[in-house]
Amino acid sequence: MSRQGTRPQFNVVTGVSAGALIAPFAFLGPSWDCRLADAFSGRNTRNLLKLRWASGFVDGSVYRGEPLAELVDRFVTDQMVHEVAAEAAKGRILLVATTDLDRAQTVVWNLGAIALNGESGARALFRDVLLASASIPGLFPPVLIRVRGARGEYDEMHVDGGTTGSLFVAPEIAAIVPNALDDLKSANVYVLVNGQFGTVAQTTPLRTIPILRRSVTASLESEARRSVDYASSLAQHYDMHVRVTDIPDDYPYLGPLDLEPAHMEALFGFAARCAEEGATWTTPVDVLDRAEHAQLRTAGGPARCPGGEGPDLVPVSSH
């Protein structure tokens, strides 16, 4: 959208899981595009999946949390927090969701309000919320966030927001900004799904890590379908116009934990070519219908763009 000159300034940006990490960049606009690409290039994500081996059964995760924490800390700069605060002061809204594991509930954080607070711990809380939202339970360690309540200060255990909801549009926003929905009637809603709504069947190796990774993928896909269907219904109630994009079901996608640089660059290039052809966006009805028929297709061959026929694609070999 930036390259085409069609990218609007979003009034509200929400993010869950990997989408939470992208949300501040989407909120701040095209001037942050280069830093977004740099933060999530294969060069920076290559070492995110470092196994704990046997200690994972004690420490609560299969993968070490330090590499992901270092990545988030690197791009959540003082400048980012300052600019988010400046935009929030104009009335724009930046929200991300985590899951409070103890209460098994979704928690929506107003990052604009956190940035506006300006206290010395604002950047640390901003960073910890983003880290928690992307920490898939069992694979990455949970994040302890210090909160203050009726019983004083205590630590809450937070994990990936996708555990309880993969996206949010209407009622969650109203809970934080009561008058927001009145302003958003007839608005354009853009839903970006970092995954597939339906995948072609494939054999899962009988090993712990492949089983965990495949289980996470299946859970996220199922939750994404449910969330898009629900968000679409709510958006219709408020006369919003919903556009959806996802990774096409016939793209040789290996799941959200495939962080091989070549694979990430290939997917980015495919998406960029789809955007250049104006074939990025489709409707919730179309994308959910494609998901229902995904099992009828076979992997390999050119993938179609989410919004129509796509460019030729050299398939990424699966493993």
Side-chain angles (χ1 to χ4, degrees), residues 230-244:
Y230 180 55
S232 177
S233 298
L234 287 170
Q236 288 179 11
H237 179 74
Y238 290 101
D239 296 321
M240 297 178 182
H241 309 288
V242 183
R243 297 167 174 82
V244 182

Side-chain angles (χ1 to χ4, degrees), residues 218-237:
S219 176
L220 292 176
E221 289 169 358
S222 176
E223 178 59 32
R225 288 192 294 269
R226 186 195 68 80
S227 296
V228 166
D229 190 28
Y230 180 55
S232 177
S233 298
L234 287 170
Q236 288 179 11
H237 179 74

Side-chain angles (χ1 to χ4, degrees), residues 98-149:
T98 65
T99 296
D100 181 338
L101 203 55
D102 294 327
R103 292 185 295 165
Q105 292 181 355
T106 300
V107 178
V108 178
W109 301 80
N110 188 335
L111 291 186
I114 291 173
L116 271 172
N117 185 275
E119 292 184 356
S120 58
R123 175 178 173 271
L125 179 57
F126 196 106
R127 177 200 61 209
D128 289 348
V129 168
L130 292 181
L131 176 60
S133 188
S135 295
I136 301 171
L139 295 182
F140 293 100
V143 177
L144 296 178
I145 298 180
R146 194 74 173 169
V147 298
R148 184 182 297 111

Side-chain angles (χ1 to χ4, degrees), residues 185-245:
K185 286 184 178 179
S186 302
N188 293 317
V189 178
Y190 298 89
V191 178
L192 286 76
V193 178
N194 182 40
Q196 295 174 315
F197 284 100
T199 55
V200 178
Q202 58 181 266
T203 300
T204 302
L206 191 59
R207 298 193 302 273
T208 301
I209 300 302
I211 290 173
L212 280 173
R213 293 173 70 154
R214 187 64 172 170
S215 297
V216 166
T217 299
S219 176
L220 292 176
E221 289 169 358
S222 176
E223 178 59 32
R225 288 192 294 269
R226 186 195 68 80
S227 296
V228 166
D229 190 28
Y230 180 55
S232 177
S233 298
L234 287 170
Q236 288 179 11
H237 179 74
Y238 290 101
D239 296 321
M240 297 178 182
H241 309 288
V242 183
R243 297 167 174 82
V244 182
T245 190

Side-chain angles (χ1 to χ4, degrees), residues 20-318:
L21 301 182
I22 296 171
F25 296 96
F27 182 76
L28 291 174
S31 63
W32 283 74
D33 282 354
C34 289
R35 277 170 281 195
L36 169 62
D38 179 64
F40 299 105
S41 68
R43 174 173 55 85
N44 286 309
T45 59
R46 181 191 298 272
N47 297 317
L48 287 184
L49 304 182
K50 289 187 176 181
L51 289 171
R52 289 186 183 274
W53 298 108
S55 66
F57 294 102
V58 177
D59 298 326
S61 67
V62 173
Y63 298 114
R64 294 172 51 196
E66 293 85 358
L68 179 59
E70 290 169 2
L71 173 66
V72 176
D73 186 65
R74 191 180 310 129
F75 77 73
V76 177
T77 60
D78 289 333
Q79 181 188 5
M80 171 180 279
V81 176
H82 174 77
E83 292 197 18
V84 166
E87 293 303 313
K90 300 175 185 177
R92 298 178 63 219
I93 302 168
L94 173 61
L95 308 174
V96 302
T98 65
T99 296
D100 181 338
L101 203 55
D102 294 327
R103 292 185 295 165
Q105 292 181 355
T106 300
V107 178
V108 178
W109 301 80
N110 188 335
L111 291 186
I114 291 173
L116 271 172
N117 185 275
E119 292 184 356
S120 58
R123 175 178 173 271
L125 179 57
F126 196 106
R127 177 200 61 209
D128 289 348
V129 168
L130 292 181
L131 176 60
S133 188
S135 295
I136 301 171
L139 295 182
F140 293 100
V143 177
L144 296 178
I145 298 180
R146 194 74 173 169
V147 298
R148 184 182 297 111
R151 54 192 176 97
E153 290 192 356
Y154 58 96
D155 290 329
E156 287 183 347
M157 182 179 290
H158 287 261
V159 296
D160 192 330
T163 307
T164 49
S166 61
L167 66 93
F168 58 97
V169 175
E172 296 87 352
I173 296 175
I176 292 181
V177 188
N179 298 323
L181 294 181
D182 292 334
D183 297 334
L184 293 177
K185 286 184 178 179
S186 302
N188 293 317
V189 178
Y190 298 89
V191 178
L192 286 76
V193 178
N194 182 40
Q196 295 174 315
F197 284 100
T199 55
V200 178
Q202 58 181 266
T203 300
T204 302
L206 191 59
R207 298 193 302 273
T208 301
I209 300 302
I211 290 173
L212 280 173
R213 293 173 70 154
R214 187 64 172 170
S215 297
V216 166
T217 299
S219 176
L220 292 176
E221 289 169 358
S222 176
E223 178 59 32
R225 288 192 294 269
R226 186 195 68 80
S227 296
V228 166
D229 190 28
Y230 180 55
S232 177
S233 298
L234 287 170
Q236 288 179 11
H237 179 74
Y238 290 101
D239 296 321
M240 297 178 182
H241 309 288
V242 183
R243 297 167 174 82
V244 182
T245 190
D246 69 331
I247 300 173
D249 303 324
D250 48 7
Y251 185 93
Y253 178 60
L254 301 177
L257 296 178
D258 177 25
L259 302 178
E260 285 294 325
H263 298 177
M264 295 178 70
E265 291 170 6
L267 178 57
F268 183 91
F270 172 75
R273 293 193 296 274
C274 288
E276 290 169 0
E277 296 184 9
T280 301
W281 303 101
T282 186
T283 67
V285 172
D286 286 344
V287 79
L288 293 173
D289 182 66
R290 280 196 286 108
E292 289 182 4
H293 297 88
Q295 69 273 18
L296 301 180
R297 296 192 296 274
T298 57
R304 294 179 302 169
C305 291
E309 296 301 322
D312 291 336
L313 170 77
V314 178
V316 179
S317 60
S318 59

